[in-house]
Every structure is written in C-alpha cells, then in structure tokens.
Amino acid sequence: MRKESHERPAASLDPVLSHVEPLPGGLYGAEPYEAALSDLLSAVAEVSAALADTENPAVTEDLTRYQVDLNRTQLRLRPDDTAALERAHALCRTVRRCLSTGAACRPPRAGCR
C-alpha cells in the first residue's frame, strides 16, 4: 500500500489575501441595500453605546427615540426602494451629527419618513 503525499508545491503556498483587491467604496460599495443596512446597524450600535454612557434624562429620551427610528427604518427597508435607502443614510447622518455634538437632538416624533 502506497501512501500518497498531499503536500503542495512551494509555488502554491502564496497567501490568498495577497491576490485579493478591496472593492471600491468599501465592502458594500456596489450594493445600495446592504450599504444602507450596514449604515443603520452601525448607527444603532453607536446610539446604544451613547445610551450606556449618559445619565441625562433628556438625552436618554432623544437617543431612545433615535434608536426606535433606526430600528423601524431597518425593518421597513427594501432593496428596490431607492428613496428609502437614501432616507436611511440621511437618518444615520443626522444621528451621527447629534452624537458628535454631544447635545440632545430632538428626533422627529413620527419617526423617519
């Protein structure tokens, strides 16, 4: 009985990543729905982190409302609704702008439309 060798030639030991090129525009650069979904998930995480750090009731209320708006927007997001995709990105930009200023920003009570 002959034992076969499963060793690869030295030329095939090159790491795969050395042959991979990043996508222009990031991981979801060519997929608007996935990019919007990723943006929403990231914004939800940022709001959750800010909520954990605040003790101000007004800021907590505003951040909680933003969190609800982001989650609602995520649930309503559809790949074929380009206007909704842009609104999702706009909501994320608004949330991040408020988070970066550290001020309590009043989100719309009716949610993102």
Side-chain angles (χ1 to χ4, degrees):
M1 183 169 183
R2 185 173 165 215
K3 189 175 185 180
E4 293 185 31
S5 174
H6 293 288
E7 293 181 29
R8 296 181 181 177
S12 68
L13 293 178
D14 290 60
V16 172
L17 292 179
S18 67
H19 302 287
V20 175
E21 294 182 27
L23 292 171
L27 182 59
Y28 299 115
E31 301 295 332
Y33 173 75
E34 283 82 2
L37 190 58
S38 177
D39 201 13
L40 286 166
L41 293 173
S42 177
V44 167
E46 292 171 44
V47 170
S48 295
L51 270 168
D53 290 341
T54 189
E55 294 178 12
N56 182 332
V59 173
T60 299
E61 180 184 343
D62 291 347
L63 290 174
T64 301
R65 203 168 323 121
Y66 268 132
Q67 195 173 44
V68 168
D69 286 346
L70 289 164
N71 288 328
R72 185 180 300 123
T73 300
Q74 178 188 348
L75 291 173
R76 292 179 178 167
L77 201 62
R78 298 289 174 257
D80 59 341
D81 188 348
T82 55
L85 298 175
E86 182 49 44
R87 285 192 307 270
H89 285 298
L91 176 61
C92 293
R93 286 190 299 269
T94 300
V95 168
R96 289 189 179 102
R97 188 171 41 255
C98 289
L99 290 173
S100 70
T101 63
C105 297
R106 290 285 177 191
R109 292 211 181 262
C112 179
R113 289 188 182 149

